[in-house]
Amino acid sequence: MVSIRPARVEDLMGMQACNLQNLPENYTLKYYLYHALTWPQLSYVAEEDGKIVGYILAKMEEDVAEGDEPHGHVTSISVLRSYRRLGLAKRLMIQSQEAMATVYKASYVSLHVRKSNRAALGLYRDTLGFTVKDIEKGYYADGEDAYAMRLSLKHLAR
Amino acid sequence: MPPAGIPPARALPSKESALFKEVLHYYEDRQLKKGLKAADTILKKFPNHGETLCMKGLILTHMGRREEGLELVKQGVRLDLTSHICWHVFGLIQKGQKNYEEALKSYTQALRFDKDNMNILRDAAHLQTQLRHYDALVETRHTLLRLRPQLRQNWIALAVAYTLSGNLIEAKHVLEQFERIVKNVPDYDVEMSEVLLYHVRILEDLGEHAEALALLDSSAKSRTIIDRVAIMEFRARLLSKLKSPEAQQAWQGLIEQNPDCYGYYNGILANRGIDLDAITDETRGEALQVLHDFSQQFSRAAAPLRIALTVAVGDEFKALIESYLRSRLEKGIPSVFTDLKALYRDAAKRETIESIAHALLDSLAHASDAPCPRSIDPATYVWTLYFLAQHHSHLGRHKRALELLDTALAHTPTLPELYLFRGRVLKRVGDPYGAARWVDQARLLDLQDRFLNTRCGKYRLRAGLIDEAVEVFGLFTKKDAASPAQDLEDMQSLLYLTEEADAQLRLGNYAMALKKYVGIAKIFDDFEDDQFDFHGYSVRKFTINIYLNMLKWEDTLRSHPAYVHAAIAASRILVRVHDDPTVTTKPASQSHLSDAEKKAKKKAKKAEKKVQEDSKKGASANSTNEDKGLDAGPPKDDDPDGTKLLQAPEPLERAAKLLKPLSSLTKDNLEAWFAIYDVAVRRKKYLQALQALNHAHRLDPDSPELHIRVVDFKRRWSSLSDKPAESVVDVVSSCLPKLIPDEVSLELFNSQYLQRHSSRGAAILAAAKVSRALDAPREEVEATVFNTLNADVELDLETAVAIDAFLSEIQSPREDEFRTACQQKFELSSVFAPREEVPALRRSALQQGIVDGNESKKEEMIS
């Protein structure tokens, strides 16, 4: 029974554990606390029997350039391998985006993805409608390039 | 008492006085070099000027010269005990060392001499929150509000202080007043929205549901609360509590917004009087109808269908599960078993699932040497086999599970899930080497996947292949870290630390094990520290509801299973050190390694040490003028082997400190009470020890571990040479007979226990341990233990391993005999293999390529 719901403080350790298992980009718990206590509406979890099997850790971009509109940013999103094919990533992303648009009036949401990560690229581009804005060379700690992707949220404006 | 005038030692002539002001400005701007110079100029003429000494000490600390800085600050304070500056600086330093208790004392002193200093007051408030001194916090926040009522945060902070101190009514009044007087709130302001949601929550917590709802609705209408999900969740909950007819619609709206949230279905059904955890024949029909309607409305959502499976019974269940299971196996969803696992508590449902899955399998089965018939989807076939393997293994039918997996693997040798699960089954039957090998095969199928990598590392640790595990983890850790282990510890990987600690412990490497367990405890200390910055931050951001939730979470932080496990395991090691100090000098176990492996290990250790030293060098070569802040920073690792930690004095006190949170946070944890007992009784705290036994007795009066300790307590108590206090004697004399009757001898008590539980392996072991403690001859103890091999005795793998360890401990010549018997009883296990075979088993765990017909196919895939 996987349930999708807003992330709570007691979920953060589970999100951190999920992240450590799945991705090489990791963060200390304080960074998760910072997200949750600054933008409590934006992070969501997929939970089964108290265990976090997937999450989206999101924020609003803090350094907004002059004239630029407010926009959301996905810091990290991941689902345990054993829980794939359920559309969890998509559902997590959609819930987060709704909140970005409604609460913070975000015009668009951005994220970074490894050039070689075909599965993620497929999810963001084909399933969710993100487009590639830029290539950021050497973005990742191991030197790999990132696609900076973007999705407009104007359709969610109320 | 405020000083009558400035004491002569503090006053400075105009030139130095101006210089001092500059020192303060330079510090504020973090122009450390200039500040230092100015301070030194003053000190040349006035070497005993306390305030300047303190400022210099503060600046030095920022520059990284912490010991020097601290000394100067202490000196400065001593020279000017009534200076608020001196105490404030001292408090800042102590806060940076995370010494919050002392820091608050310093701040309190500072406030005596400058009671309206906003900076000091604010810092004091943060410390009071951290230390949970909520009543004092209310006072401080009152003062801050009085001093600056125009600052919105000060209002909110006071409300928060009242809330924390339990005075919700006053909190409410503060917020009401705030909302009345606040001006110029921009449209669609997130901060105001959060304040109002906080107010609504207070009203809900006060039970004023109608008022809460009124505030919520009017704010939602005027768009002053803008968090749609929060509005809807509050609304649904409040309307339900008010038993309003609008509640249904409110829950409906939530489900429409997120049909994947189980809480919402619980809510809508509870609102109709249906408790999903206690379905009756009356409520079942209605629940299923509601769920059915939702599954039609939201065809993509799994939740209504899955909940229906919990609710339905009999033929209705059969129909629902058939389509549910079939569709998921056809889609190839790996998690369908874990999804349905909760239903297995119901035997009828379990059997229905089994027969349906097998029927499906039969319809898909085809000869393995012929190509797959067109009518059959090969993927569905493999996923069905996978499902059934998980099903049978869950029910203890591991051989069957392995057969099913092997069929699946022959059919589709490229599916990592099959290899992963085969490894898991081998783990369950006690073959950690085979398990590690199979999980490694899974990993090799997708080297980009960290999940598979993590599993492989974990399984290697379970097999005692520690260096090889770290090597595998190292494929995904940061390349510039001192070592993969260091990176994982820096990133707070509790999984890694726990598994390695357990592995080291199994190998008898107490020092390394203790080091890792203490590493876990340190991470929890860090988690506790993490909240500190938010005491100011969250008030500035106005995100109060989640801030309050965070404080609540922090209050029960150490109830987390990882902490509990680490604290208990560490305390066991420390108790052992107390009982037998020679373990601290025993070298780490190397007996399982071959000579070549030992050599390689030495080489790797040397290389790692060099990397560590190099990185340390790099760190200290930084410019000394950089602002390093006040935080003390992580200490250097001067104990890489953990031997210093193991040999440190007062092991029992350290153990007690680790266990302390458990006595209040994990009252239903048997293991915790045993650990607490073991430490307390050795510290001669007999009441605490007895209380632990009582707690354990309440949870499980027949517990084998309890039995051992009850006898232990009685023995120690009866043979006490120093008479304890009379009050203690009174309590023990009245309580102890409830656990063990006065008139019964210990031997008789033990044999009675053995008789009562003669078919439980763990109980027999406990009785044997007690016999030994009572000095029974070894042969007798051995005979008792060997009874566990009888057919009518329930003996599981874990207990068999524990018995083997016990026989080893008493240096029994019959240990090999026992191991051989266990090898027969637990056919598929490898943990009872003769010791000489272990190096070969370890090597086999690292061998790539499965040793069977698939070998050549596998190599093709990998290259």
Side-chain angles (χ1 to χ4, degrees):
Chain A
M1 284 212 199
V2 179
S3 182
I4 301 221
R5 54 169 180 73
R8 302 176 194 141
V9 176
E10 48 282 20
D11 297 327
L12 297 174
M13 281 180 72
M15 290 160 72
Q16 184 188 34
C18 185
N19 165 271
L20 274 162
Q21 281 187 68
N22 289 338
L23 300 171
E25 290 77 43
N26 312 126
Y27 319 95
T28 55
L29 191 72
K30 196 165 184 186
Y31 197 50
Y32 290 84
L33 282 165
Y34 165 66
H35 279 70
L37 270 68
T38 311
W39 307 279
Q41 315 84 352
L42 301 185
S43 296
Y44 274 74
V45 295
E47 178 233 312
E48 177 172 88
D49 294 331
K51 181 175 159 195
I52 304 300
V53 304
Y55 69 90
I56 181 167
L57 183 68
K59 65 200 282 233
M60 290 300 291
E61 192 55 72
E62 295 129 304
D63 302 317
V64 183
E66 201 54 52
D68 201 4
E69 301 158 298
H71 60 275
H73 185 81
V74 177
T75 302
S76 182
I77 175 170
S78 187
V79 174
L80 289 180
R81 187 192 174 102
S82 31
Y83 289 85
R84 297 188 190 162
R85 301 253 194 98
L86 290 169
L88 294 179
K90 177 178 172 187
R91 289 161 214 241
L92 290 165
M93 183 72 88
I94 286 175
Q95 291 296 328
S96 181
Q97 284 168 191
E98 274 268 356
M100 285 175 187
T102 317
V103 180
Y104 296 98
K105 296 235 187 271
S107 309
Y108 62 91
V109 55
S110 62
L111 54 79
H112 291 98
V113 62
R114 285 174 179 271
K115 252 180 123 177
S116 63
N117 193 343
R118 259 175 276 129
L121 206 54
L123 166 71
Y124 304 139
R125 190 186 51 210
D126 306 324
T127 310
L128 294 167
F130 278 78
T131 53
V132 177
K133 177 103 195 323
D134 232 327
I135 295 181
E136 283 182 43
K137 291 210 137 303
Y139 177 82
Y140 290 99
D142 62 1
E144 185 171 2
D145 297 345
Y147 285 128
M149 304 193 78
R150 205 182 259 215
L151 170 68
S152 165
L153 297 178
K154 296 259 160 70
H155 60 286
L156 294 173
R158 284 171 194 283
Chain B
M1 200 177 68
I6 302 176
R10 188 182 303 160
L12 291 169
S14 57
K15 179 163 164 254
E16 280 73 20
S17 174
L19 260 177
F20 185 72
K21 287 205 177 74
E22 272 179 44
V23 172
L24 294 176
H25 285 140
Y26 284 137
Y27 171 71
E28 258 161 65
D29 292 340
R30 298 294 186 267
Q31 294 190 61
L32 304 174
K33 245 176 131 181
K34 289 187 175 163
L36 192 57
K37 202 162 169 225
D40 279 334
T41 311
I42 302 174
L43 289 169
K44 241 186 282 190
K45 276 213 178 140
F46 298 93
N48 288 333
H49 190 241
E51 292 181 345
T52 306
L53 282 167
C54 279
M55 284 311 296
K56 180 176 174 182
L58 182 61
I59 291 173
L60 286 177
T61 306
H62 271 270
M63 290 169 108
R65 291 154 68 178
R66 297 185 191 282
E67 274 143 30
E68 254 187 281
L70 180 61
E71 265 318 299
L72 282 180
V73 170
K74 283 187 181 167
Q75 242 190 297
V77 172
R78 263 177 262 136
L79 287 167
D80 196 352
L81 287 167
T82 56
S83 157
H84 75 271
I85 292 181
C86 288
W87 284 108
H88 189 182
V89 168
F90 195 19
L92 277 171
I93 304 274
Q94 290 164 320
K95 190 174 68 145
Q97 294 171 328
K98 312 237 188 280
N99 192 347
Y100 299 126
E101 296 269 6
E102 291 304 311
L104 184 56
K105 285 186 195 159
S106 298
Y107 275 95
T108 310
Q109 281 290 79
L111 283 169
R112 284 181 63 202
F113 308 116
D114 188 5
K115 65 178 176 49
D116 286 347
N117 184 316
M118 302 259 304
N119 278 329
I120 302 179
L121 283 165
R122 214 176 300 120
D123 275 356
H126 299 165
L127 287 163
Q128 285 158 342
T129 313
Q130 181 77 10
L131 295 167
R132 307 300 193 254
H133 296 177
Y134 292 142
D135 292 333
L137 176 67
V138 170
E139 290 302 314
T140 310
R141 288 298 187 190
H142 251 296
T143 309
L144 279 163
L145 182 58
R146 176 175 51 80
L147 290 170
R148 277 254 262 161
Q150 332 86 298
L151 200 56
R152 289 184 194 178
Q153 300 164 21
N154 288 344
W155 289 85
I156 304 309
L158 178 59
V160 170
Y162 274 126
T163 309
L164 292 171
S165 72
N167 193 341
L168 294 179
I169 295 184
E170 275 310 313
K172 179 179 79 163
H173 289 158
V174 171
L175 289 175
E176 282 168 352
Q177 206 181 344
F178 169 75
E179 284 157 27
R180 267 198 301 275
I181 70 177
V182 75
K183 291 182 173 55
N184 300 328
V185 180
D187 257 351
Y188 225 81
D189 181 45
V190 186
E191 293 177 352
M192 196 59 198
S193 174
E194 288 294 311
V195 169
L196 288 167
L197 280 170
Y198 169 41
H199 190 171
V200 171
R201 176 193 169 138
I202 297 218
L203 290 171
E204 184 179 5
D205 288 345
L206 276 169
E208 296 176 25
H209 300 136
E211 291 80 355
L213 188 64
L215 177 59
L216 184 69
D217 281 346
S218 69
S219 305
K221 200 161 174 208
S222 61
R223 312 237 284 186
T224 40
I225 296 183
I226 57 181
D227 181 345
R228 209 165 143 255
V229 172
I231 292 172
M232 291 169 75
E233 285 188 352
F234 267 104
R235 239 181 147 255
R237 231 183 14 251
L238 289 167
L239 287 168
S240 279
K241 285 182 180 174
L242 290 167
K243 304 217 192 304
S244 159
E246 290 177 52
Q248 273 298 112
Q249 191 52 43
W251 287 109
Q252 174 91 19
L254 276 169
I255 293 174
E256 274 163 24
Q257 193 266 136
N258 178 2
D260 297 303
C261 178
Y262 278 79
Y264 300 160
Y265 294 97
N266 271 334
I268 201 168
L269 288 169
N271 191 56
R272 295 167 90 118
I274 301 171
D275 179 0
L276 275 177
D277 293 324
I279 291 281
T280 63
D281 290 329
E282 288 80 46
T283 56
R284 181 167 294 119
E286 190 184 344
L288 286 171
Q289 186 59 51
V290 170
L291 292 165
H292 173 81
D293 293 341
F294 277 126
S295 70
Q296 299 288 86
Q297 193 183 354
F298 304 105
S299 52
R300 296 260 186 89
L305 287 171
R306 177 59 186 83
I307 299 173
L309 292 177
T310 308
V311 173
V313 291
D315 286 335
E316 213 164 3
F317 173 76
K318 187 155 189 266
L320 288 170
I321 187 74
E322 170 119 43
S323 68
Y324 189 90
L325 183 57
R326 184 180 280 269
S327 66
R328 272 149 188 77
L329 291 173
E330 280 166 6
K331 262 188 167 162
I333 288 175
S335 57
V336 59
F337 177 74
T338 60
D339 181 17
L340 298 176
K341 199 165 64 173
L343 297 170
Y344 280 42
R345 279 172 231 141
D346 180 326
K349 292 191 179 181
R350 200 168 65 214
E351 278 155 28
T352 307
I353 293 174
E354 182 168 320
S355 58
I356 287 176
H358 270 293
L360 184 56
L361 184 66
D362 290 340
S363 72
L364 294 165
H366 49 281
S368 53
D369 47 359
C372 190
R374 207 158 293 185
S375 57
I376 290 173
D377 181 356
T380 311
Y381 178 55
V382 171
W383 287 113
T384 308
L385 285 164
Y386 178 65
F387 175 84
L388 277 166
Q390 292 176 92
H391 170 93
H392 285 294
S393 178
H394 178 72
L395 298 171
R397 306 168 196 153
H398 303 298
K399 259 195 173 155
R400 188 81 205 277
L402 291 172
E403 281 164 23
L404 289 159
L405 280 170
D406 286 340
T407 309
L409 281 161
H411 189 275
T412 309
T414 51
L415 186 57
E417 274 69 17
L418 297 174
Y419 293 86
L420 270 183
F421 193 67
R422 203 173 193 292
R424 199 156 186 210
V425 177
L426 290 177
K427 174 192 76 158
R428 288 173 179 171
V429 299
D431 178 12
Y433 306 105
R437 185 173 185 194
W438 280 89
V439 174
D440 195 32
Q441 299 307 308
R443 178 184 72 89
L444 291 168
L445 285 172
D446 189 352
L447 294 166
Q448 308 270 38
D449 186 330
R450 192 176 194 185
F451 179 85
L452 296 175
N453 177 284
T454 307
R455 276 289 163 86
C456 176
K458 174 179 165 181
Y459 272 68
R460 285 186 176 185
L461 287 170
R462 293 280 176 101
L465 296 159
I466 298 178
D467 293 337
E468 295 83 353
V470 174
E471 194 187 317
V472 150
F473 286 137
L475 296 171
F476 278 90
T477 51
K478 296 206 220 344
K479 299 295 170 276
D480 58 354
S483 67
Q486 191 60 54
D487 185 43
L488 287 167
E489 190 162 352
D490 288 342
M491 299 325 300
Q492 305 170 327
S493 173
L494 297 172
L495 168 69
Y496 157 71
L497 284 168
T498 304
E499 291 292 340
E500 173 157 347
D502 288 352
Q504 296 282 12
L505 185 61
R506 278 191 296 270
L507 291 171
N509 299 338
Y510 297 122
M512 275 308 282
L514 182 63
K515 183 168 191 230
K516 300 288 174 181
Y517 288 128
V518 168
I520 293 173
K522 283 213 178 83
I523 287 175
F524 277 85
D525 286 344
D526 288 342
F527 288 167
E528 187 178 340
D529 277 330
D530 284 341
Q531 65 180 303
F532 190 85
D533 288 345
F534 292 102
H535 301 317
Y537 181 79
S538 295
V539 169
R540 285 200 305 281
K541 289 283 179 183
F542 297 97
T543 50
I544 302 303
N545 281 341
I546 194 156
Y547 169 71
L548 292 171
N549 293 345
M550 191 237 349
L551 291 179
K552 246 202 191 137
W553 167 73
E554 287 279 5
D555 284 340
T556 60
L557 177 66
R558 289 175 180 79
S559 63
H560 191 279
Y563 179 82
V564 175
H565 177 83
I568 292 175
S571 76
R572 289 207 185 114
I573 294 175
L574 291 166
V575 162
R576 200 174 252 259
V577 163
H578 167 86
D579 288 347
D580 175 16
T582 65
V583 302
T584 62
T585 46
K586 213 174 72 162
S589 163
Q590 303 245 338
S591 56
H592 55 275
L593 300 173
S594 68
D595 282 327
E597 284 177 314
K598 283 185 199 170
K599 249 193 185 149
K601 232 186 139 136
K602 253 189 162 160
K603 219 177 162 192
K605 233 183 178 168
K606 254 190 165 160
E608 189 183 314
K609 224 180 171 178
K610 182 158 194 309
V611 173
Q612 279 187 354
E613 281 163 1
D614 284 347
S615 67
K616 272 184 228 164
K617 262 188 240 145
S620 55
N622 279 340
S623 154
T624 48
N625 293 332
E626 247 176 60
D627 180 3
K628 294 184 177 58
L630 285 173
D631 280 358
K636 289 178 285 202
D637 187 2
D638 60 350
D639 185 20
D641 287 335
T643 35
K644 279 196 195 159
L645 191 61
L646 193 66
Q647 291 168 349
E650 306 206 343
L652 291 180
E653 278 59 43
R654 289 188 287 144
K657 189 155 183 250
L658 287 166
L659 293 172
K660 187 151 189 278
L662 301 188
S663 52
S664 52
L665 295 178
T666 59
K667 289 206 156 88
D668 292 339
N669 185 326
L670 261 181
E671 292 296 314
W673 290 119
F674 295 143
I676 290 170
Y677 168 83
D678 290 341
V679 172
V681 83
R682 286 163 176 76
R683 294 177 79 205
K684 306 200 194 319
K685 296 188 182 284
Y686 297 106
L687 289 184
Q688 190 189 12
L690 189 56
Q691 189 190 47
L693 294 182
N694 280 336
H695 276 286
H697 185 87
R698 169 182 57 86
L699 293 169
D700 181 6
D702 295 322
S703 153
E705 291 294 321
L706 173 62
H707 173 70
I708 295 172
R709 285 164 178 82
V710 165
V711 173
D712 179 70
F713 185 88
K714 183 98 192 258
R715 276 186 64 221
R716 289 177 190 258
W717 184 254
S718 317
S719 58
L720 276 184
S721 43
D722 305 320
K723 266 210 77 104
E726 214 182 289
S727 50
V728 176
V729 173
D730 285 342
V731 176
V732 174
S733 307
S734 66
C735 287
L736 189 54
K738 297 185 195 136
L739 296 172
I740 171 171
D742 273 336
E743 14 23 287
V744 174
S745 76
L746 295 176
E747 286 79 3
L748 183 57
F749 181 71
N750 192 33
S751 58
Q752 283 172 343
Y753 180 80
L754 181 56
Q755 260 194 322
R756 272 203 316 276
H757 302 287
S758 55
S759 62
R760 277 180 68 187
I764 297 174
L765 174 60
K769 286 183 173 175
V770 169
S771 287
R772 173 168 168 252
L774 297 176
D775 294 321
R778 195 185 60 208
E779 292 75 26
E780 191 184 305
V781 172
E782 286 164 348
T784 307
V785 148
F786 269 77
N787 282 332
T788 56
L789 294 168
N790 298 344
D792 58 344
V793 171
E794 165 211 317
L795 177 66
D796 61 29
L797 189 67
E798 201 184 326
T799 310
V801 170
I803 294 174
D804 179 45
F806 173 63
L807 287 172
S808 169
E809 209 182 300
I810 64 173
Q811 292 168 329
S812 164
R814 294 185 72 185
E815 193 198 342
D816 284 341
E817 188 192 330
F818 184 76
R819 288 174 73 89
T820 312
C822 282
Q823 181 64 75
Q824 281 198 322
K825 197 179 176 96
F826 300 99
E827 282 180 65
L828 300 167
S829 72
S830 57
V831 287
F832 300 111
R835 295 244 152 71
E836 324 74 80
E837 286 181 24
V838 172
L841 282 167
R842 290 168 57 89
R843 274 197 304 279
S844 74
L846 303 166
Q847 213 175 335
Q848 295 186 2
I850 297 294
V851 185
D852 65 16
N854 285 326
E855 191 150 22
S856 53
K857 226 188 203 170
K858 287 272 5 295
E859 266 141 10
E860 243 178 74
M861 299 295 168
I862 294 164
S863 59

